[in-house]
Amino acid sequence: MGDVLSTHLDDARRQHIAEKTGKILTEFLQFYEDQYGVALFNSMRHEIEGTGLPQAQLLWRKVPLDERIIFSGNLFQYQEDSKKWRNRFSLVPHNYGLVLYDNKVAYERQVPPRAVINSAGYKILTSVDQYLELVGNSLPGTTAKSGSAPILKCPTQFPLILWHPHARHYYFCMMTEAEQDKWQAVLQDCIRHCNNGIPEDSKVEGPAFTDAIRMYRQSKELYGTWEMLCGNEVQILSNLVMEELGPELKAELAPRLKGKPQERQRQWIQISDAVYRMVYEQAKARFEEVLAKVQQARPAMKAVIRTDMDQIITSKEHLASKIRAFILPKAEVCVRNHVQPYIPSILEALMVPTSQGFTEVRDVFFKEVTDMNLNVINEGGIDKLGEYMEKLSRLAFHPLKMHSCYEKMELLRLDGLQQRFDVSSTSVFKQRAQIHMREQMDNAVYTFETLLHQELGKGPTKEELCKSIQRVLERVLKKYDYDSSTVRKRFFREALLQVSIPFLLKKLAPTCKSELPRFQELIFEDFARFILVENTYEEVVLQTVMKDILQAVKEAAVQRKHNLYRDSIVMHNSDPNLHLLAEGAPIDWSEEYSSSRGGGSPSPSPPEAATLSEKRRRAKQVVSVVQDEEAGMPFEAGPESPSPTSPDSVTEIRGLLAQGLRAESPPPASLLPNGAPARESPQPEATPEASSPPDSPLQHVLPGKAVDFGPPKPSDQETGEQVSSPSSHPALHTTTEDSAGLQTEF
């Protein structure tokens, strides 16, 4: 690898890459500085004027996954340096970074992880053929001849490959299709959350950055959605540089690569990854420098905005009126001929899978609470409530149980419309809707927790507890129906704008864009940091199509399509004291309503007396360790077991698994209904008028107790690939947000 990089990335070429990267960053960061003042003004104006949006009925928890582990288990990873498959103990902490250890013993002994992967921008591939096709397309002219050895051989039929257009790739394989499905759901959850790397509560920096990205790309005549708007700001900025730098390097270096097609493909992957790291480090330093600069200027800008808010608004409205008079006739014709006829088709394509997904969220929530109610009544009443509520509280973050909800959105297709409106990919809409589903599920669960905790203060009997759970469930489902309708309507409006606005801007650019500079003289110099002609122009274009979009969504609600409430239906203060209940301390169900903790272990010592190792072992896990229903637990090296050899075939891997099972045979786990993946049971679509749950009497009990294999919680200092041994790959920091390595936050 070193020879390849030293040959093709010598000092002169590295200097050229640094200069090219610096030029792109300088141009973009000027857009960012311009957009920062606009975003700050919009944020302060928003605080004063309010939103006017309907009040949410469900509560939301402020710390969704404190001290939680999403998933853990064993898988096989391909090591590119040794060209061997190694067994790894892998887990996903609450920040959704995939952490790889040599084995579980290494994890429990706090040995540094072998690697930590931030999966923002990656795609999951479930077959080697898919991977080879993408690799072949990334470097034209390197398609291997039929019968020749491919770039990668998988010893089983169940691979999972993490592919990135610029960074290194990761290769895993499982022994069974069931394991592959589970890990695919888990890794897709990681990608979904890491892609959403810009914090939702960032009201200035976030909008300023995304608007700057859009403005920069439009200045390069690149309109429409961008598939690589993934991860935190530095990752996105690195993708932006590579979008321009990558093709240039490929055209220059591809003819110089030597060897067979497979070898040239490997060389290009190594070169691309090395360049991506260089770009990332340079982008990180420059972005942090500019961010510090604008944050230092922020107090002075806020003082000007507070003093001159009315004048700034008046000046902006005057500018908008002049721009509107200039472009309105052209924009209206463009909307009428090219956008308006297609709005119903786009909306219908969005509504069907989205509403099916939200209905599935409702059904999964209803089933889990009903199963919990049944188990509580038949297995000890309130003494078991803490155990089951602890599991229910993590439902929204259970990748396997939420998978049936997320997969509904995968059916989204914009065939025909996608090409017409220059939508490069529907993934941006799919992932946004899936994030909304997860949020609404967690809001419903948290509201249920809060209301039930209030009911428990009355000291109900076993029978009263059953009725209380059912009453609270019905209340929460009504709130969920209202909130999910509000969220979906907002999502539909935003998606329609994301499709139509870039299309309109591209259509109007030849006749309108060149005329915009003449409007600059209408802006007072003192307000030039808060009013930009380009932004005001886009707002005017948005207003020309917004009326048609609002009307289309309103008609869908009036027709009661897909369980949407009409805008005239507003729930006011249905639970006036509910939000006050959420102000209290978080509910610790295992402490308040369980006689023991951790499946029969004695009560824990005070937190201050617990060692780090003890805390890691007690970390609560959302999903138990992956289990193969036929073969039991995957291989884990025991305390005295030597490191396994590197298997190259299915037979060797199966032998290792059998050896691990003989060495350490865990007790069987008979999972409760609310501790296993949700069953797929089709239910009739809910309507606003019938928001109470379907009849589901408590008819039977599924015995057994869920067992949590809860490994300790890793540190948050994990967002790039960090390698602990000198013989491994060099440390990769291409996924860190700051020097401390803090990853995706909620």
Side-chain angles (χ1 to χ4, degrees):
M1 177 177 175
D3 293 340
V4 172
L5 298 183
S6 61
T7 300
H8 298 287
L9 294 178
D10 54 19
D11 292 341
R13 196 173 305 282
R14 288 174 181 268
Q15 180 64 28
H16 171 73
I17 292 171
E19 291 175 357
K20 181 73 174 180
T21 301
K23 180 181 178 181
I24 297 173
L25 292 175
T26 298
E27 188 175 352
F28 166 79
L29 291 171
Q30 184 58 55
F31 279 95
Y32 180 70
E33 289 188 59
D34 293 342
Q35 293 299 322
Y36 193 89
V38 176
L40 181 61
F41 167 73
N42 291 337
S43 174
M44 295 180 65
R45 183 178 181 181
H46 175 80
E47 291 177 3
I48 295 173
E49 298 179 351
T51 62
L53 296 176
Q55 180 181 0
Q57 297 296 306
L58 297 171
L59 302 175
W60 61 276
R61 71 175 89 233
K62 298 178 181 177
V63 186
L65 275 180
D66 188 26
E67 300 294 329
R68 297 291 192 273
I69 289 174
I70 303 297
F71 198 81
S72 71
N74 286 67
L75 44 69
F76 288 91
Q77 181 191 17
Y78 180 70
Q79 297 295 111
E80 297 174 78
D81 51 353
S82 64
K83 294 182 172 56
K84 301 290 185 180
W85 289 87
R86 299 282 189 180
N87 186 27
R88 298 291 183 221
F89 174 71
S90 313
L91 59 85
V92 179
H94 70 274
N95 57 19
Y96 288 91
L98 178 64
V99 189
L100 303 176
Y101 290 88
D102 286 331
N103 48 53
K104 191 172 182 180
V105 175
Y107 170 60
E108 292 175 344
R109 291 177 178 174
Q110 303 176 35
V111 176
R114 174 69 62 173
V116 186
I117 304 170
N118 181 313
S119 54
Y122 279 85
K123 288 183 179 180
I124 298 179
L125 308 176
T126 56
S127 78
V128 175
D129 290 341
Q130 286 179 300
Y131 176 69
L132 295 179
E133 182 180 355
L134 279 175
V135 171
N137 292 337
S138 66
L139 193 63
T142 59
T143 304
K145 296 180 180 179
S146 177
S148 59
I151 187 176
L152 175 70
K153 290 182 180 180
C154 184
T156 76
Q157 298 178 0
F158 311 106
L160 280 180
I161 301 171
L162 291 179
W163 177 88
H164 193 284
H166 312 303
R168 66 166 294 183
H169 306 158
Y170 295 92
Y171 314 99
F172 306 102
C173 75
M174 292 79 200
M175 297 302 301
T176 67
E177 185 176 4
E179 285 185 72
Q180 185 191 43
D181 291 341
K182 291 176 183 179
W183 274 109
Q184 183 180 3
V186 172
L187 294 179
Q188 191 62 60
D189 226 22
C190 293
I191 292 173
R192 185 180 301 112
H193 287 266
C194 290
N195 280 351
N196 194 38
I198 299 178
E200 296 284 342
D201 56 358
S202 176
K203 304 302 183 185
V204 178
E205 286 80 3
F209 184 84
T210 53
D211 286 348
I213 288 286
R214 190 184 71 254
M215 293 294 186
Y216 175 84
R217 297 188 79 246
Q218 287 176 182
S219 71
K220 306 295 182 182
E221 304 298 326
L222 298 172
Y223 295 84
T225 58
W226 185 37
E227 197 172 5
M228 292 308 294
L229 190 68
C230 304
N232 58 50
E233 290 88 344
V234 181
Q235 288 173 300
I236 295 171
L237 193 48
S238 302
N239 295 335
L240 186 73
V241 174
M242 291 298 293
E243 183 181 33
E244 187 171 339
L245 182 62
E248 177 185 316
L249 280 177
K250 188 182 300 183
E252 187 176 351
L253 295 180
R256 303 183 182 185
L257 300 179
K258 305 298 182 182
K260 296 180 180 180
Q262 303 91 321
E263 186 59 31
R264 298 205 301 274
Q265 290 171 350
R266 283 195 193 93
Q267 292 175 14
W268 174 249
I269 293 171
Q270 293 172 5
I271 292 170
S272 179
D273 177 56
V275 172
Y276 187 77
R277 299 185 196 191
M278 294 168 53
V279 169
Y280 182 92
E281 293 299 331
Q282 190 172 346
K284 183 174 183 290
R286 289 290 304 276
F287 180 72
E288 289 176 350
E289 177 186 334
V290 172
L291 183 61
K293 176 183 174 182
V294 294
Q295 289 180 338
Q296 185 177 6
R298 182 169 176 164
M301 288 192 289
K302 291 179 72 174
V304 173
I305 293 172
R306 287 195 188 98
T307 303
D308 300 326
M309 175 68 79
D310 292 340
Q311 293 91 326
I312 297 173
I313 293 175
T314 301
S315 178
K316 183 177 179 179
E317 290 177 348
H318 176 66
L319 173 65
S321 67
K322 296 296 184 181
I323 294 177
R324 186 179 298 110
F326 167 65
I327 72 161
L328 192 59
K330 304 174 184 177
E332 286 182 338
V333 170
C334 190
V335 169
R336 185 167 58 250
N337 294 337
H338 301 289
V339 177
Q340 194 180 59
Y342 301 98
I343 288 178
S345 301
I346 301 173
L347 180 58
E348 186 65 22
L350 289 166
M351 288 174 67
V352 173
T354 305
S355 296
Q356 287 177 351
F358 276 86
T359 299
E360 183 70 12
V361 169
R362 189 186 197 276
D363 292 344
V364 170
F365 173 67
F366 170 78
K367 176 189 176 297
E368 292 295 320
V369 174
T370 302
D371 286 344
M372 182 201 71
N373 198 357
L374 184 149
N375 289 332
V376 167
I377 296 306
N378 289 277
E379 296 189 13
I382 200 168
D383 292 336
K384 286 284 186 180
L385 183 64
E387 178 184 339
Y388 299 136
M389 285 300 298
E390 191 70 29
K391 293 180 181 296
L392 183 68
S393 67
R394 307 193 289 269
L395 176 60
F397 308 97
H398 196 302
L400 307 182
K401 292 183 179 180
M402 291 296 295
H403 180 66
S404 64
C405 309
Y406 297 149
E407 69 179 356
K408 303 293 185 185
M409 202 63 203
E410 297 299 328
L411 302 175
L412 175 63
R413 297 289 184 273
L414 294 177
D415 298 332
L417 299 171
Q418 191 167 333
Q419 185 175 3
R420 168 178 287 276
F421 289 97
D422 196 22
V423 179
S424 60
S425 172
T426 57
S427 61
V428 61
F429 306 115
K430 293 177 183 177
Q431 293 193 19
R432 191 65 201 149
Q434 290 164 344
I435 290 290
H436 284 316
M437 291 175 197
R438 195 269 301 165
E439 290 173 347
Q440 288 299 296
M441 174 67 89
D442 194 47
N443 292 349
V445 169
Y446 183 56
T447 306
F448 178 83
E449 289 184 70
T450 305
L451 291 173
L452 182 60
H453 190 261
Q454 182 186 39
E455 289 291 320
L456 293 172
K458 303 174 184 178
T461 63
K462 194 173 185 179
E463 291 73 18
E464 291 172 341
L465 177 60
C466 175
K467 295 178 181 178
S468 296
I469 290 175
Q470 192 65 22
R471 283 198 304 269
V472 171
L473 173 61
E474 292 175 4
R475 289 172 64 187
V476 172
L477 287 175
K478 290 179 181 178
K479 296 175 184 295
Y480 172 83
D481 287 339
Y482 182 80
D483 277 11
S484 71
S485 173
T486 302
V487 168
R488 280 178 290 145
K489 286 191 290 186
R490 184 170 68 246
F491 168 71
F492 296 148
R493 290 192 290 265
E494 292 172 353
L496 286 168
L497 287 173
Q498 280 184 281
V499 171
S500 58
I501 294 300
F503 174 80
L504 287 173
L505 292 174
K506 186 176 182 179
K507 281 283 187 183
L508 295 171
T511 57
C512 297
K513 199 167 184 178
S514 61
E515 299 295 325
L516 294 181
R518 66 185 177 90
F519 293 99
Q520 185 64 39
E521 62 185 23
L522 299 176
I523 303 174
F524 291 115
E525 185 177 352
D526 294 343
F527 303 154
R529 297 200 65 177
F530 316 118
I531 306 174
L532 296 180
V533 171
E534 190 77 21
N535 290 64
T536 308
Y537 164 69
E538 288 195 3
E539 290 177 14
V540 172
V541 173
L542 182 149
Q543 291 166 6
T544 61
V545 73
M546 193 63 181
K547 179 180 177 181
D548 294 306
I549 290 175
L550 292 175
Q551 184 62 31
V553 176
K554 181 179 179 180
E555 289 177 358
V558 170
Q559 296 169 12
R560 299 180 180 176
K561 280 189 176 182
H562 307 295
N563 196 22
L564 290 177
Y565 282 93
R566 297 189 300 274
D567 293 341
S568 58
I569 299 178
V570 181
M571 295 177 68
H572 291 295
N573 298 322
S574 59
D575 279 301
N577 298 321
L578 180 59
H579 289 270
L580 297 178
L581 294 175
E583 297 300 322
I587 304 168
D588 191 334
W589 292 100
S590 61
E591 291 290 344
E592 291 190 40
Y593 295 99
S594 289
S595 56
S596 62
R597 183 176 178 177
S601 61
S603 298
S605 56
E608 60 271 18
T611 65
L612 176 61
S613 178
E614 289 171 343
K615 289 181 180 179
R616 286 162 66 91
R617 288 194 181 91
R618 291 203 309 263
K620 297 170 184 175
Q621 185 165 317
V622 176
V623 189
S624 297
V625 177
V626 173
Q627 299 187 50
D628 183 352
E629 289 76 4
E630 297 179 356
M633 293 288 293
F635 173 82
E636 291 182 14
E640 306 300 328
S641 301
S643 298
T645 57
S646 303
D648 286 316
S649 67
V650 179
T651 305
E652 291 178 81
I653 293 178
R654 291 191 183 278
L656 287 176
L657 292 175
Q659 175 188 345
L661 286 171
R662 290 193 296 269
E664 181 179 353
S665 180
S670 178
L671 297 178
L672 290 164
N674 60 327
R679 297 189 302 267
E680 290 191 7
S681 54
Q683 298 186 18
E685 185 176 281
T687 61
E689 288 75 13
S691 57
S692 58
D695 293 334
S696 180
L698 308 180
Q699 296 175 342
H700 59 279
V701 180
L702 296 181
K705 179 187 291 186
V707 178
D708 269 342
F709 296 87
K713 172 183 177 295
S715 167
D716 277 344
Q717 317 278 329
E718 329 169 317
T719 57
E721 185 189 358
Q722 304 169 354
V723 185
S724 56
S725 64
S727 61
S728 303
H729 298 294
L732 172 61
H733 303 286
T734 62
T735 52
T736 52
E737 289 187 3
D738 50 34
S739 58
L742 183 64
Q743 198 185 327
T744 308
E745 298 179 356
F746 287 98

